[in-house]
Amino acid sequence: MKFSVIAACEKEGGIGKQGTIPWRCSIDMNYFQSVTQGSQNVKNVLVMGRCTFESIGSKNLGKNRLTVVLSHNKDEVYEDKDIVAYSGSLNPIVLKDFLVVAFPELSIGTVFYCGGQTVYEQALVYASLFDSFLITRLEINVDGCDRYFDLEILKNKCSLIRSSFFEGNEEPSGTFMHYVPSYMTCNNSDEIQYLKLCKKILLEGEKRDDRTGVGTYSIFGQCLEFSLSNGVLPCLTSKKLAIKAVIKELLWFISGSTNSKELENEGVKIWTGNTSREFLDKRGLTYLKEGDIGAGYGFQWRYFGADYHGMDECYEGKGVDQISEIVHLIKNDPFSRRIILTAWNPAALSNMALPPCHMMAQFYVSSSGELSCQMYQRSCDVFLGIPFNIMSYSLLTHMLAHVCGLRASKLTMCLGDTHIYQNHVDQVLTQMKNIPYSFPTVSLTENVKSIFDFSLDDIVVKNYESHSYIRAPMAV
């Protein structure tokens, strides 16, 4: 389901006068009919206030459309199979939920917000959720307009990507203008795909209950791809990322440690909620000390197959050291199709505070000496978790390339249950208003030759520019 705004206004943004449209422009009306036309299989939706509905007239609405008329008094709207009264929020997420429940049998294409002023004002509040703003600006001035479309707010939130002038002859001339949310036109195409994914989840996602009790909007089977060429390190810029926290967690994984207190001592508390005494006991892990993540992530990376006896045990030489094996294969058998890192060990899941979310990665060496990574993530917290995972696996690829004498090329992320928690929606909408900057680059200390020898000081992220932090609670 997509959302769009379609409007016609005079030079100053006027759209109405005393409850009527104060001009006649058959070219624009034909444009409206053409753009909003649905089909037998896919219906578009027209959303409008009652006065706009009455000024257009139901006979001008066309076929294969569902019309949603905004009215607090349903008795004022004549409803039939294609016209329905609605008194809820104009937030597209809320309206989408209403349409899905009210018309489960319909395949809905695009929802067009068609006026009047209140409808357009609400559309501009949620501009980042819209695909397009289609504005017909007529070359006339109309005295006495009392309803307006705010062209200045539109220009602040959106970018003009296309315009086309038409000659009206005996009717007003004008320009068809096509605007899109500003973030969609920035130079950072890799971050744009992340923001588009956020919008897709909010507008197409299934509303679901989940383990945490918070609830999510969820879709399944998505893909993101990021270039790592020339030292680029994908760190999202539409909100500030805790870069040092990502680096410290990755080094912690690589070390094989399962003691989250080590991260807490470094000021990184992302594992605190999931290793508390209460959480571990709830998982049935009463034998683990507080702060112990169990046989997860780093343990599987370094000691896969070993028996787990708590975070204080020494596991050196036990199990399979997957990180060492990966380095060996990259150096000695670079075209192997078995350069795989997995944290998913079904036999050990019951000994983990959390089963791994990012669970598998495969590395690929090209004949030109470039290293790429494709990872699979079963559970994807798009607002809090995925930004960490993007940077972490990108950095891991850079580090492996560095110690193996290669160049990092790209990261591909295959995402399973891809979700936004319901209590993160406002934060996501805030983030989507921000226009991304360019990604930073990473510099690694040249004389580090072993993947296990990297320290925080050996990893320098350069030229990271971002918008502010956006806080949100972690679902536990």
Side-chain angles (χ1 to χ4, degrees):
M1 194 181 302
K2 296 181 179 179
F3 285 77
S4 183
V5 165
I6 188 164
C9 63
E10 47 89 73
K11 283 186 175 181
E12 301 303 318
I15 59 173
K17 179 179 180 180
Q18 298 177 356
T20 65
I21 300 174
W23 58 75
R24 173 177 173 78
C25 183
S26 56
I27 293 176
D28 178 59
M29 182 54 72
N30 291 336
Y31 174 74
F32 174 87
Q33 293 279 9
S34 174
V35 169
T36 62
Q37 179 67 46
S39 68
Q40 282 189 331
N41 297 324
V42 178
K43 276 201 173 185
N44 290 334
V45 178
L46 306 181
V47 179
M48 61 187 71
R50 183 175 56 82
C51 292
T52 302
F53 173 70
E54 292 172 352
S55 65
I56 292 177
S58 59
K59 68 181 188 320
N60 293 319
L61 295 177
K63 297 180 180 179
N64 300 315
R65 299 167 173 87
L66 174 68
T67 302
V68 175
V69 182
L70 199 66
S71 176
H72 292 293
N73 185 355
K74 290 191 174 185
D75 293 338
E76 295 178 339
V77 179
Y78 174 75
E79 294 188 310
D80 65 16
K81 65 182 180 66
D82 290 324
I83 300 173
V84 61
Y86 175 69
S87 59
S89 168
L90 285 173
N91 177 340
I93 303 169
V94 178
L95 182 56
K96 179 262 297 187
D97 289 342
F98 165 76
L99 292 170
V100 167
V101 172
F103 304 97
E105 75 286 356
L106 288 185
S107 177
I108 295 175
T110 301
V111 180
F112 290 93
Y113 285 44
C114 305
Q117 179 174 310
T118 299
V119 173
Y120 290 142
E121 286 173 347
Q122 286 297 295
L124 287 169
V125 169
Y126 299 102
S128 58
L129 290 175
F130 283 77
D131 271 40
S132 59
F133 287 75
L134 306 175
I135 311 300
T136 304
R137 190 167 183 268
L138 302 173
E139 295 298 316
I140 55 173
N141 287 102
V142 177
D143 291 333
C145 280
D146 50 21
R147 294 292 182 270
Y148 286 85
F149 186 100
D150 197 321
L151 295 172
E152 288 306 310
I153 292 181
L154 175 69
K155 292 174 184 176
N156 286 336
K157 294 190 172 189
C158 299
S159 299
L160 179 65
I161 62 169
R162 188 164 54 251
S163 65
S164 175
F165 178 79
F166 64 86
E167 185 67 56
N169 299 318
E170 295 181 359
E171 295 180 342
S173 299
T175 301
F176 296 125
M177 300 186 295
H178 185 167
Y179 288 85
V180 297
S182 293
Y183 73 83
M184 294 177 64
T185 62
C186 78
N187 293 326
N188 189 341
S189 59
D190 283 0
E191 187 156 356
I192 289 175
Q193 67 177 328
Y194 167 83
L195 296 173
K196 285 183 175 180
L197 176 61
C198 291
K199 180 169 75 172
K200 183 177 183 179
I201 294 168
L202 293 176
L203 297 183
E204 299 180 23
E206 180 179 317
K207 201 171 184 179
R208 295 162 68 96
D209 296 329
D210 77 304
R211 169 187 60 83
T212 69
V214 174
T216 66
Y217 288 98
S218 171
I219 55 178
F220 184 73
Q222 301 300 302
C223 185
L224 296 172
E225 186 171 294
F226 298 89
S227 172
L228 309 180
S229 297
N230 301 313
V232 168
L233 185 65
C235 305
L236 294 189
T237 66
S238 47
K239 66 169 184 176
K240 193 173 184 65
L241 185 63
I243 285 178
K244 287 190 177 180
V246 179
I247 298 173
K248 290 175 181 178
E249 185 193 44
L250 177 59
L251 294 175
W252 180 66
F253 286 157
I254 292 172
S255 76
S257 174
T258 57
N259 184 353
S260 70
K261 298 290 186 181
E262 294 176 4
L263 285 178
E264 289 183 40
N265 292 337
E266 293 287 328
V268 181
K269 299 182 179 180
I270 54 178
W271 278 93
T272 302
N274 289 313
T275 57
S276 68
R277 183 73 271 151
E278 179 184 3
F279 184 85
L280 292 173
D281 290 350
K282 185 178 178 181
R283 278 276 292 156
L285 300 172
T286 56
Y287 53 90
L288 294 182
K289 292 181 179 180
E290 186 171 69
D292 194 336
I293 74 166
Y297 290 118
F299 181 80
Q300 299 300 330
W301 286 16
R302 298 297 309 281
Y303 315 112
F304 191 96
D307 292 330
Y308 189 73
H309 302 291
M311 63 186 183
D312 297 328
E313 184 89 2
C314 177
Y315 299 97
E316 201 64 38
K318 298 179 181 179
V320 177
D321 187 340
Q322 295 187 82
I323 297 292
S324 294
E325 288 291 322
I326 284 170
V327 172
H328 175 79
L329 285 171
I330 291 173
K331 288 182 175 181
N332 297 286
D333 191 7
F335 294 165
S336 172
R337 296 184 290 267
R338 302 174 184 179
I339 311 176
I340 291 175
L341 173 67
T342 179
W344 191 263
N345 182 350
L349 294 180
S350 60
N351 286 328
M352 301 180 189
L354 280 180
C357 294
H358 45 99
M359 50 186 282
M360 178 176 287
Q362 181 175 3
F363 296 91
Y364 179 93
V365 182
S366 73
S367 55
S368 60
E370 293 184 321
L371 181 67
S372 295
C373 173
Q374 177 168 279
M375 61 88 83
Y376 181 77
Q377 187 156 341
R378 65 167 182 90
S379 178
C380 316
D381 175 354
V382 170
F383 182 71
L384 287 181
I386 288 296
F388 257 63
N389 306 136
I390 293 169
M391 180 187 162
S392 186
Y393 276 85
S394 297
L395 179 56
L396 177 60
T397 306
H398 276 291
M399 293 164 67
L400 287 168
H402 177 84
V403 299
C404 295
L406 303 171
R407 301 180 306 278
S409 177
K410 69 177 179 180
L411 168 69
T412 303
M413 303 179 72
C414 302
L415 308 178
D417 188 320
T418 310
H419 52 267
I420 292 172
Y421 283 99
Q422 291 175 27
N423 62 349
H424 292 174
V425 170
D426 289 343
Q427 289 90 334
V428 172
L429 292 177
T430 297
Q431 182 178 359
M432 291 176 66
K433 295 176 184 178
N434 296 332
I435 300 174
Y437 300 101
S438 297
F439 284 149
T441 58
V442 64
S443 175
L444 304 176
T445 300
E446 187 174 350
N447 61 7
V448 174
K449 302 302 181 183
S450 170
I451 191 73
F452 305 116
D453 289 344
F454 281 103
S455 68
L456 183 63
D457 293 337
D458 294 314
I459 301 167
V460 179
V461 178
K462 299 179 177 179
N463 301 315
Y464 179 56
E465 184 178 8
S466 75
H467 294 271
S468 301
Y469 284 114
I470 304 175
R471 309 289 182 183
M474 179 182 287
V476 177

